[in-house]
C-alpha cells in the first residue's frame, strides 16, 4: 500500500476506536492491574522510536511534562522518608497513555463528529441502564463504577456535547438542530445524575453552567445570559420539589448531617464522615506542612491518634485537596495545581473551538469533582481523564495547527522531522 492509503486506514481506525471507546465506557473501567505496565512499555517504545519526542511542539511538551507532575509527586516522599504510595503511582501513571495518543491524533487527525457521537451514545446508554436499574428496585443505581464517578462523568459528557454543538452552530454556521441534539444529550445526563442521587454530580452543574456561559458569552446578549441563569435556577428548583424527586431529601439529609457533626461531633453518615476526614487531614498536615506525612505516615497518625481509620477503609480522604494536603503537603499541592494551570493554558491557547471549550470544562469538572471525592485515587477517573485529555488536545491541536501553522502540520504529518517543531503565538 502507498503512503496515502496507510494514512487513510489509520485515520478510519482512530476514528472508529474513539467511538468504540465511548460505547464501552461503562463496561470497561480501565482498572485492571496490568494496564499501567502495558502503557509504560508502549509509550516508552513509541518515544524511543520517535527519537525521544523530537516532533513535539512547544505546547505539547508543556502539557505532557505537566502530566508527569502527578505521578512524579508520589516519588517526592521517597526522597525524604523512603515511603511513597505504589497504588497512587499506579493510578496516576495512567496518564502515560496520553503520549502516543496525542502523537497519533496530531499526525493523523479524526472526525470531530465521531467524537461527539461517541460521547452522546455513551450518555444515552448509561441513562437507559440506570432507568432499568431504578425500575428494578435499586435505590442508587450506578453504571459499573461507583455512583459518584459514573454520575460525574455523565454530567461532564453532557456539557461537552453541548459545547461542541454550540461551536458547530455559532462558529461553523451549522444547523440549529445541533443545539437540540446537544440539549437532549445534556438532559439525559442530568436525569441519570438525579437517579444516581450523587450530590457531588449535582454540585458540578452550576459550575458547568457558569463556565459554559463564560466561554460562550460573546454569542449572547446580557439579557439572554440572565434568562439562562434564571431558567437554570427555576429548573433546578422544579426538579428538587417534584413529588418523588430524590434531590431535596438528599440535600436536606446532607445539611442535617453537617449540623449534627458541628453540634455533637457524631459521625454516622457520608457528609459528617467527610467533614471528620478533612479535619483529620488538616491536623496531619500541621505535622509536616511542606511534604505531608505520606500514605503510611497518615495511617500511623490515624492509628496512634485514636481517630477513625479512614485510610484502612477508604484509602483516601474523600477530597483531592485534603488527600494531597495530608499525604504530600504543600509540595504535592503545587504539583497538582501546577498540572491544572498548564492544562488550562494549553487548551485555551492551542486548541480549536469546540475542543477548547470541552477541554476547559473537563478541567473545571475534575476540580469540582475533587472537592468531595478523590479523583486522583480512582482508577477509572484518572484513566478516563487521560484518554479524554488526549482526544481533546490531540484533535483540537491538529485543527489549531491547520489554521495557524499549516506548514508545521504538513511537515509533521508527512514524516518525523529532524529538528524540533516550535509552535506558538508570535513565533
Amino acid at each position: 500500500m502507498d503512503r496515502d492509503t496507510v494514512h487513510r486506514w489509520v485515520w478510519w481506525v482512530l476514528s472508529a476506536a474513539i467511538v468504540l471507546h465511548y460505547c464501552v465506557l461503562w463496561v470497561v473501567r480501565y482498572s485492571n492491574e496490568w494496564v499501567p505496565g502495558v502503557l509504560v512499555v508502549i509509550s516508552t517504545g513509541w518515544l524511543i522510536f520517535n527519537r525521544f519526542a523530537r516532533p513535539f511542539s512547544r505546547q505539547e511538551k508543556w502539557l505532557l511534562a505537566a502530566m508527569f507532575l502527578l505521578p512524579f509527586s508520589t516519588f517526592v516522599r521517597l526522597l525524604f522518608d523512603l515511603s511513597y504510595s505504589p497504588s497512587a503511582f499506579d493510578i496516576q501513571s495512567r496518564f502515560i497513555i496520553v503520549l502516543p495518543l496525542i502523537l497519533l491524533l496530531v499526525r493523523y487527525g479524526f472526525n470531530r463528529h465521531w467524537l461527539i457521537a461517541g460521547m452522546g451514545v455513551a450518555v444515552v446508554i448509561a441513562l437507559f441502564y440506570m432507568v432499568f436499574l431504578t425500575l428494578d428496585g435499586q435505590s442508587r443505581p450506578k453504571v459499573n463504577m461507583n455512583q459518584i464517578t459514573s454520575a460525574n462523568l455523565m454530567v461532564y459528557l453532557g456539557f461537552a456535547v453541548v459545547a461542541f454543538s454550540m461551536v458547530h452552530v455559532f462558529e461553523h454556521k451549522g444547523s440549529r438542530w445541533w443545539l437540540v441534539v446537544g440539549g437532549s444529550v445534556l438532559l439525559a445526563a442530568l436525569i441519570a445524575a438525579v437517579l444516581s442521587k450523587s450530590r457531588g454530580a449535582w454540585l458540578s452543574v452550576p459550575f458547568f453552567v457558569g463556565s459554559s456561559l463564560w466561554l460562550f458569552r460573546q454569542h449572547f446578549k446580557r439579557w439572554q445570559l440572565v434568562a439562562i441563569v434564571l431558567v437554570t435556577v427555576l429548573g433546578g428548583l422544579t426538579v428538587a420539589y417534584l413529588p418523588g424527586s430524590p434531590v431535596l431529601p438528599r440535600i436536606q439529609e446532607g445539611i442535617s448531617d453537617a449540623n449534627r457533626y458541628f453540634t455533637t461531633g457524631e459521625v454516622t453518615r457520608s457528609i459528617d464522615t467527610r467533614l471528620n476526614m478533612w479535619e483529620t487531614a488538616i491536623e496531619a498536615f500541621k505535622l509536616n506542612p511542606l511534604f505531608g506525612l505520606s500514605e503510611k505516615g497518615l495511617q500511623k497518625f490515624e492509628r496512634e491518634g485514636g481517630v477513625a481509620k479512614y485510610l484502612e477503609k477508604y484509602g483516601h480522604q474523600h477530597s483531592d485537596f485534603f488527600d494531597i494536603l495530608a499525604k504530600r503537603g504543600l509540595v504535592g499541592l503545587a504539583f497538582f495545581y501546577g498540572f491544572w494551570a498548564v492544562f488550562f493554558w494549553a487548551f485555551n491557547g492551542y486548541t480549536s473551538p469546540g475542543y477548547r471549550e470541552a477541554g476547559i470544562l473537563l478541567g473545571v469538572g475534575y476540580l469540582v469533582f475533587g472537592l468531595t471525592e478523590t479523583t486522583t485515587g480512582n482508577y477509572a477517573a484518572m484513566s478516563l481523564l487521560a484518554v479524554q485529555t488526549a482526544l481533546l488536545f490531540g484533535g483540537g491541536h491538529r485543527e489549531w495547527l491547520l489554521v495557524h501553522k499549516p506548514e508545521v502540520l504538513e511537515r509533521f504529518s508527512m514524516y518525523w522531522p529532524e529538528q524540533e517543531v516550535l509552535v506558538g503565538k508570535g513565533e
Side-chain angles (χ1 to χ4, degrees), residues 276 280 299-310:
N276 194 227
T280 301
Q299 286 178 336
K300 181 180 178 182
F301 171 78
E302 290 183 350
R303 206 165 42 243
E304 295 179 352
V307 298
K309 299 177 182 178
Y310 294 122

Side-chain angles (χ1 to χ4, degrees), residues 73 77 83 151 175 256 264 308 343 351:
S73 66
R77 292 301 319 167
S83 172
S175 170
S256 175
T264 68
F343 182 96
T351 51

